[in-house]
Amino acid sequence: KSTRGMPTLADHLRRHGYRTAAFTEGGYVSASYGFASGFDVFVETKNPDVGSGEIDKTFAKAEEWARSHAGEPLFLFLHTYEVHSPYKPPAPYRDRFPAAPGASQIEIESTRYDAEIAYTDARLAKLLETLGALDINLLGITSAPTNIVLDLIPEPGASRVPDAKPPTLLASLPA
């Protein structure tokens, strides 16, 4: 149960036979705030550089857990700070969004932000391919930044993984 005594989605799904796991990057999505309630596994990958994401480590742990429970009903919760300041995208993505010569600090940060989004989209696409290969058929995605575009989700009825059933997408993108 949550810190307010209310059952969480993880509590409910666990009671109904789901294996439940959360892989977060801490901050306010932390066990100390009651987020671990209902999860069989709750892993926080914290970066000493507060606000910096660890998407590769976080998603790799989640993919490993999902593979180890393939064929079972799963509830997987993921949280990353990847698209948060300070923006430090990997070189291939940073190079795709160069700042113009003489750009202001705001323009430079904007290009780094765009690079972080592109990197996160690519990493999320890889995660979705892994989950699709495991025949995961329910997926929820939420986002705090309002301008993240999830253009990597296949059209309904399509799949990026041969012979995999496409997931039902539950998306929550704030206006």
Side-chain angles (χ1 to χ4, degrees):
K1 296 191 184 224
S2 71
T3 55
R4 296 180 187 247
M6 300 293 296
T8 64
L9 177 60
D11 288 317
H12 177 76
L13 292 172
R14 188 173 176 189
R15 277 194 316 274
H16 287 88
Y18 280 74
R19 300 294 299 234
T20 60
F23 297 87
T24 83
E25 294 177 5
Y28 291 112
V29 184
S30 170
S32 62
Y33 290 99
F35 277 91
S37 178
F39 289 103
D40 298 312
V41 173
F42 191 89
V43 177
E44 292 179 52
T45 303
K46 295 182 181 181
N47 185 327
D49 188 3
V50 177
S52 286
E54 293 284 347
I55 197 168
D56 285 326
K57 290 178 186 175
T58 302
F59 280 24
K61 290 174 186 176
E63 289 165 343
E64 182 181 329
W65 178 83
R67 279 189 207 96
S68 72
H69 296 288
E72 299 176 60
L74 305 179
F75 173 59
L76 174 61
F77 176 88
L78 295 169
H79 164 260
T80 182
Y81 281 112
E82 193 63 43
V83 187
H84 280 72
S85 178
Y87 306 120
K88 297 178 183 177
Y93 295 91
R94 189 176 55 244
D95 296 345
R96 283 178 42 197
F97 297 90
S104 70
Q105 188 59 39
I106 291 174
E107 292 167 327
I108 292 169
E109 286 299 303
S110 178
T111 61
R112 289 180 184 158
Y113 178 77
D114 291 343
E116 282 278 13
I117 290 174
Y119 171 56
T120 301
D121 278 355
R123 191 59 186 88
L124 185 56
K126 181 180 174 198
L127 173 75
L128 292 175
E129 286 183 23
T130 298
L131 297 179
L134 298 174
D135 201 21
I136 303 294
N137 58 14
L138 178 64
L139 175 66
I141 297 176
T142 65
S143 172
T146 59
N147 53 351
I148 290 180
V149 178
L150 295 171
D151 59 350
L152 52 94
I153 305 296
E155 291 294 318
S159 176
R160 293 180 184 267
V161 181
D163 301 322
K165 296 175 189 168
T168 300
L169 176 64
L170 306 175
S172 170
L173 300 173

